[in-house]
Amino acid sequence: MSVVSLLGVNVLNNPAKFGDSYQFEITFECLESLQKDLEWKLTYVGSATSDEHDQELDSLLVGPIPVGVNKFIFEADPPDTSRIPDAEILGVTVILLTCAYDSREFVRVGYYVNNEYDSDELNADPPPKPILDRVRRNVLAEKPRVTRFAIKWDSDASAPAEYPPDQPEADLTADGEEYGAEEAEEEEEELAEGVEAVVDPDAMVDDTAMAGAEVPLVANEEDEDAGSEDLEAESSGSEDEELEEEEEAEGDGDEAMEMDGVEKPNGTNGAAVPHADAIMAH
């Protein structure tokens, strides 16, 4: 929190001639006693393209500062026209009213200033060399730009917090050792489980045995069919030939099923490798 708060600024002589002094009525509040004075400054911006033509019009030390609301008149000299380019005298420029404590600026008030001739004829057709006696200034006092800064006052407790704050504990440990360590462990466990589930050799052997176990089941069915063919052959010879043809067709299908049962583990193994690679790559 600021110990000194600016409450208001009134521009007293406005509009005025270009060569007249600036006068401000400044009101501020002080919340606690200060060990040093306040330094007020008024700066005239001489050019919109370069700060080489900026000039400090005046400065004033105010103190000692009593606690409470204070008011004073700040008067500053007009700018030195010899330090301003002729092309920059007319038109819009800026003045800056600032206050600092112990060389630390804590408030800045900016005003636009319009400099023009006092007649429409000169404004419509300005002479190459400015006629300073005919130039009038108008401070746009209704639209100030106020900027406040947090500073350290007399006590260390009033100093603003550093940004970013110091974190000595975080600096002692490398980021890679703790940051995201739990997430990395969980990810490694998931990857390990996924690889074991896909490319586990024991699981492949079991799958092969299960696939091979289907073959005797097909063979038993074939035996049962053959037994029924023998019983039916005693009653009809023509049906025997049809049953033999069906037996051959079923035998071809059984061979295809047996081949599928044998090749299934290989197919599973072939598909498991790219899937594991995708998991590892991820």
Side-chain angles (χ1 to χ4, degrees):
M1 183 179 65
S2 178
V3 175
V4 176
S5 299
L6 182 63
L7 301 181
V9 178
N10 294 327
V11 183
L12 299 181
N13 56 338
N14 187 55
K17 292 183 179 181
F18 185 83
D20 292 346
S21 62
Y22 289 87
Q23 295 179 9
F24 301 91
E25 183 185 64
I26 301 174
T27 305
F28 66 93
E29 182 181 12
C30 184
L31 301 180
E32 61 184 48
S33 59
L34 298 176
Q35 300 176 2
K36 300 179 182 180
D37 298 338
L38 298 177
E39 183 180 12
W40 297 84
K41 290 182 181 181
L42 183 65
T43 303
Y44 185 88
V45 179
S47 175
T49 59
S50 174
D51 58 357
E52 296 180 357
H53 306 289
D54 295 354
Q55 50 184 301
E56 182 181 310
L57 301 184
D58 207 343
S59 63
L60 177 65
L61 292 175
V62 179
I65 306 297
V67 176
V69 178
N70 300 271
K71 182 184 295 184
F72 71 100
I73 303 297
F74 181 27
E75 184 173 355
D77 296 331
D80 183 3
T81 55
S82 63
R83 300 174 57 185
I84 304 174
D86 292 341
E88 301 285 353
I89 291 180
L90 297 176
V92 179
T93 186
V94 174
I95 57 173
L96 298 174
L97 177 65
T98 62
C99 188
Y101 181 75
D102 195 16
S103 300
R104 294 186 287 269
E105 181 181 337
F106 64 90
V107 67
R108 176 184 301 179
V109 184
Y111 294 97
Y112 287 108
V113 181
N114 185 28
N115 299 318
E116 61 181 1
Y117 286 112
D118 56 4
S119 67
D120 295 337
E121 292 78 6
L122 291 175
N123 288 325
D125 187 16
K129 184 70 174 179
I131 305 175
L132 299 178
D133 295 338
R134 303 292 300 275
V135 177
R136 294 179 64 83
R137 70 164 187 258
N138 183 17
V139 180
L140 302 182
E142 297 81 8
K143 297 181 179 180
R145 300 293 182 90
V146 181
T147 306
R148 294 177 173 85
F149 307 95
I151 66 167
K152 177 183 177 297
W153 297 87
D154 291 331
S155 62
D156 294 337
S158 64
E162 296 181 0
Y163 184 82
D166 293 335
Q167 297 180 351
E169 296 83 0
D171 296 337
L172 295 177
T173 305
D175 293 341
E177 297 180 2
E178 293 185 358
Y179 181 76
E182 297 180 357
E183 292 79 356
E185 293 178 358
E186 293 178 357
E187 184 177 358
E188 291 178 358
E189 292 177 359
E190 293 178 357
L191 292 177
E193 293 176 357
V195 172
E196 291 177 358
V198 176
V199 297
D200 188 3
D202 297 336
M204 293 175 62
V205 172
D206 295 339
D207 292 342
T208 305
M210 293 178 64
E214 297 177 356
V215 177
L217 293 177
V218 176
N220 292 336
E221 293 176 358
E222 182 178 358
D223 294 337
E224 293 176 359
D225 294 340
S228 62
E229 290 172 2
D230 294 338
L231 292 175
E232 294 176 356
E234 297 177 356
S235 60
S236 176
S238 59
E239 293 179 358
D240 185 17
E241 295 177 358
E242 294 177 358
L243 289 174
E244 289 179 357
E245 292 176 359
E246 291 178 0
E247 180 181 357
E248 292 177 358
E250 290 178 359
D252 296 337
D254 293 341
E255 293 179 357
M257 294 177 64
E258 292 176 0
M259 293 298 293
D260 293 340
V262 175
E263 293 178 357
K264 182 177 179 181
N266 296 333
T268 305
N269 188 18
V273 175
H275 182 62
D277 293 340
I279 295 176
M280 295 297 292
H282 179 69

